[in-house]
Amino acid sequence: MTIRPLHPQDLPAYFALRTALWPDSADDFELEVSKILNNHRLASFVAEQNGQLVGFVEVSLRDYAEGCESSPVGYLEGWYVVPEHRKTGIGRRLVQAAEDWARAKGCSEMASDSELSNTQGQQAHARLGYQEVERMVCFRKSL
Ligand SMILES: CC(C)(COP(=O)(O)OP(=O)(O)OC[C@H]1O[C@@H](n2cnc3c(N)ncnc32)[C@H](O)[C@@H]1OP(=O)(O)O)[C@@H](O)C(=O)NCCC(=O)NCCS
């Protein structure tokens, strides 16, 4: 199993992974991936096994993140492993790649978030050393 940066030739397989995590993201796929490939504040790492992509992590530099004391911080924007490959250490290795990337960009802290209902995602974060710092409710209003 290899963890490596996303390449432009990965895009069809990457689309399937990304829309499995974010079903509403399909329409924005090309724009979002173009940003990742061309913006030094964004990166994506993929897990490849036997020529197949089985997971990814997207990481960014954010100027601010809840609970953090430094800036910028590395931020886990998306983290996904296909169900049949979970709990074999792939998720951990993806996050390590994201953390190495952020460290190389000068970061001394990482941050992330999770839906309140995603208790398994929260437990996986905790196993990787991520401490819960805040719970949030989001709002909107039409203008
Ligand atoms: C979260 C996710 C990426 C983890 O991937 P993974 O390959 O299974 O992770 P790993 O096997 O490397 O496990 C990392 C640690 O988390 C723990 N863990 C993984 N899944 C877990 C679960 N469902 N419940 C509790 N702990 C879990 C593992 O035991 C491991 O800890 P350990 O090494 O101390 O035993 C994967 O479950 C997933 O894609 N979930 C759906 C999307 C999602 O929720 N993403 C995160 C958003 S908050």
Side-chain angles (χ1 to χ4, degrees):
M1 208 267 301
T2 307
I3 306 290
R4 58 166 178 80
L6 178 70
H7 298 155
Q9 56 267 36
D10 295 323
L11 294 199
Y14 194 59
F15 178 82
L17 291 183
R18 211 171 184 274
T19 52
L21 178 62
W22 295 308
D24 295 339
S25 71
D27 290 349
D28 297 330
F29 176 74
E30 285 185 22
L31 177 63
E32 292 299 317
V33 170
S34 162
K35 283 190 212 162
I36 291 167
L37 293 171
N38 296 300
N39 185 333
H40 74 283
R41 290 174 67 93
L42 297 171
S44 177
F45 296 91
V46 294
E48 182 176 12
Q49 189 152 26
N50 300 325
Q52 305 261 337
L53 296 195
V54 297
F56 74 95
V57 66
E58 289 186 9
V59 56
S60 71
L61 297 183
R62 286 200 186 186
D63 291 332
Y64 169 80
E66 285 78 12
C68 291
E69 295 172 350
S70 59
S71 178
V73 296
Y75 202 94
L76 300 179
E77 302 287 351
W79 182 31
Y80 180 78
V81 173
V82 296
E84 53 272 32
H85 286 276
R86 287 180 190 166
K87 295 208 175 168
T88 63
I90 295 173
R92 178 182 287 276
R93 287 189 55 191
L94 285 165
V95 169
Q96 284 169 348
E99 292 172 355
D100 288 346
W101 176 86
R103 201 177 285 110
K105 295 282 184 185
C107 298
S108 57
E109 289 177 291
M110 292 292 295
S112 185
D113 61 59
S114 162
E115 299 281 335
L116 290 176
S117 60
N118 187 358
T119 53
Q120 294 188 354
Q122 292 161 28
Q123 287 167 2
H125 275 86
R127 299 299 300 175
L128 271 57
Y130 286 73
Q131 299 162 313
E132 182 177 325
V133 291
E134 194 148 328
R135 293 196 163 229
M136 295 178 71
V137 177
C138 301
F139 299 94
R140 74 165 294 280
K141 175 183 173 183
S142 295
L143 294 177

